[in-house]
Amino acid sequence: MPFYIRHLSTGLAAMALSACAASNPGAPSLSTTIDGSAPAAQAQQETPASTADTPTSRSPASQAATSPTQARTTEATPSQTRSIETALPVDADLPAFIDGLSRQYDLDPARLGNILTQARNHPGIARAILPAAAMPPAQRTPRSWSRYRDRFVEPIRIRHGLSFWQQHADILQRASQQYGVPENIIVAIIGVETLYGRHTGNYRTLDALYTLGFHYPDPARPDRQQMFRDNLADFLVWTLKEDNIDPLQVRGSYAGAIGLPQFMPSSLRRYAVDGDGDGHIDLLGNPADAIMSVANFLVKHGWQPGLPVFAPAKLPDQPHLLVDGGLTPTLDWSRLKQAGAAAEQANWQQHPLGIIDLKDEVLEHTSYRVATPNFFALTQYNRSYFYATAVADLAAALQDAR
């Protein structure tokens, strides 16, 4: 399959920011683990330097502050990408992109060319996408779990979340029964991503994906440029061939994430669900579609019904020795017990586990939790420990307030 049309596996993605779902899925998030910011759509109003719709894999050295994706998402982990040493100059590969896309999906190349000539290279998007880790130390925002959490687990979001839950109670109940994802988790994700549709982004998606797919600002990350180029291909296929939407009218985050759940186009094509059976998937204007799509995404990324997100266990004395910074659980309960963890017997002890760290450079403190596979399913929405924990904590606050 040509490199410029290769589909992505999800991972924001999401990312968001993260993505998000990210293509959520690398959707939440963009070039580093993004422990320290808001989802990309909200970031437009709140923190223009943060993103999160298409997270990447997490390493302790790259927990820079950018947004949750969204995908975002905030949503998408690149599949194997073409080997190139620098970001492609200007639009050097645009004709090959159009030719390959038109051949594979039977799209009119003249029409594709006409649309892409109307895409704008948006310098503000390029600036916003750069990871905090790439900024000079004096400009980098300190990572702070407490500040990050306070942005999402707060009275306004809880109030709007309860209203959203009540308004869409029937479809939330159906999604939970069908997929095994608790209602409060679904509500919390939509709340963190877009404040229940209030901040879905106002950038033309075509401009965002074109800018990042053909003018990515970091020459050292050709994989990132390729991921956005693949999402541009998916966006054009979705709008022109699958849903008959004008691609010039779709708006979303500056990372290209779309709708209430901030799905990247690659995630939208793979995981979005027609929630009300009307034959059309509308993640921006139809909450039923958004709700069912969030649940479907989580299940497809490892959500296991009946498990908590965090295990109610007493941590060992030196939990930091068990943190690997990864996005999959690598420990088991017997190993944690040997290290000094303790808990009453429970079903979650039969599953892989992980110790996750929540660093606060402002307070000079790090907190730790025992995470189950469902925590790591949340990190596939946005590849950030901060993001997944904020979703879990908001979900708990919504449940308590209901």
Side-chain angles (χ1 to χ4, degrees):
M1 181 180 297
F3 74 88
Y4 37 78
I5 320 175
R6 187 184 304 116
H7 287 176
L8 308 179
S9 60
T10 41
L12 68 252
M15 186 292 210
L17 64 170
S18 165
C20 350
S23 58
N24 188 187
S29 112
L30 284 156
S31 40
T32 62
T33 300
I34 50 181
D35 288 355
S37 72
Q42 296 179 47
Q44 295 172 184
Q45 291 86 1
E46 301 173 2
T47 53
S50 68
T51 61
D53 295 304
T54 48
T56 62
S57 59
R58 182 182 196 281
S59 67
S62 65
Q63 301 175 32
T66 96
S67 103
T69 134
Q70 322 308 292
R72 104 113 48 53
T73 302
T74 38
E75 93 108 93
T77 298
S79 55
Q80 293 181 345
T81 57
R82 178 173 72 120
S83 176
I84 52 179
E85 295 183 358
T86 60
L88 295 172
V90 196
D91 300 336
D93 277 1
L94 193 57
F97 177 84
I98 293 171
D99 180 66
L101 194 59
S102 64
R103 289 176 183 272
Q104 176 144 354
Y105 291 100
D106 193 28
L107 293 168
D108 179 2
R111 187 182 184 195
L112 286 172
N114 179 58
I115 290 168
L116 287 168
T117 59
Q118 298 179 67
R120 278 198 313 129
N121 177 17
H122 198 306
I125 290 173
R127 286 193 299 270
I129 214 73
L130 282 174
M135 298 177 183
Q139 297 179 20
R140 188 176 75 85
T141 302
R143 287 172 292 134
S144 171
W145 163 237
S146 61
R147 290 181 178 179
Y148 185 98
R149 184 184 189 277
D150 287 348
R151 296 179 66 181
F152 301 107
V153 187
E154 45 82 27
I156 294 176
R157 208 167 303 257
I158 292 171
R159 184 173 72 250
H160 287 308
L162 292 174
S163 176
F164 183 88
W165 196 344
Q166 181 179 15
Q167 184 177 357
H168 304 290
D170 290 345
I171 189 66
L172 282 162
Q173 183 180 46
R174 181 157 64 87
S176 183
Q177 291 172 347
Q178 180 173 336
Y179 293 102
V181 180
E183 298 173 36
N184 60 330
I185 291 289
I186 301 171
V187 175
I189 285 178
I190 295 174
V192 168
E193 290 293 343
T194 61
L195 191 56
Y196 308 102
R198 289 168 175 80
H199 303 305
T200 57
N202 198 36
Y203 289 93
R204 282 202 320 181
T205 301
L206 179 69
D207 294 340
L209 296 173
Y210 167 76
T211 297
L212 299 173
F214 286 92
H215 302 269
Y216 195 76
D218 185 355
R221 295 302 306 272
D223 58 316
R224 305 295 300 165
Q225 177 166 277
Q226 185 60 53
M227 183 274 294
F228 285 108
R229 194 172 296 187
D230 288 343
N231 268 274
L232 175 60
D234 276 320
F235 174 72
L236 292 168
V237 172
W238 168 58
T239 54
L240 299 177
K241 192 174 184 69
E242 297 176 346
D243 224 343
N244 194 29
I245 298 171
D246 183 354
L248 298 174
Q249 299 302 314
V250 180
R251 291 184 177 270
S253 79
Y254 57 68
I258 298 166
L260 276 73
Q262 290 290 277
F263 273 25
M264 293 295 289
S266 293
S267 285
L268 189 155
R269 292 192 64 217
R270 289 154 185 75
Y271 307 110
V273 173
D274 178 3
D276 59 3
D278 66 355
H280 177 68
I281 296 175
D282 178 6
L283 297 184
L284 182 60
N286 190 331
D289 292 354
I291 288 165
M292 297 293 279
S293 297
V294 168
N296 183 53
F297 181 95
L298 290 177
V299 168
K300 294 293 174 57
H301 288 83
W303 185 275
Q304 300 188 31
L307 283 185
V309 174
F310 294 113
K314 175 184 173 293
L315 288 163
D317 290 337
Q318 294 183 303
H320 64 281
L321 297 178
L322 298 171
V323 176
D324 67 8
L327 296 173
T328 57
T330 58
L331 303 172
D332 57 33
W333 181 239
S334 62
R335 172 73 179 88
L336 291 177
K337 283 175 64 178
Q338 290 173 1
E344 296 183 3
Q345 186 172 353
N347 178 54
W348 55 261
Q349 293 166 1
Q350 309 303 315
H351 296 268
L353 302 166
I355 301 288
I356 62 108
D357 58 340
L358 302 166
K359 296 185 178 182
D360 199 314
E361 295 175 347
V362 174
L363 300 180
E364 298 183 343
H365 171 77
T366 301
S367 57
Y368 301 88
R369 303 192 192 188
V370 179
T372 76
N374 284 351
F375 172 85
F376 294 97
L378 291 173
T379 67
Q380 297 306 303
Y381 205 105
N382 185 304
R383 298 192 164 200
S384 158
Y385 285 3
F386 278 19
Y387 174 88
T389 307
V391 167
D393 285 5
L394 178 58
L398 287 165
Q399 189 69 54
D400 290 344
R402 197 164 184 238

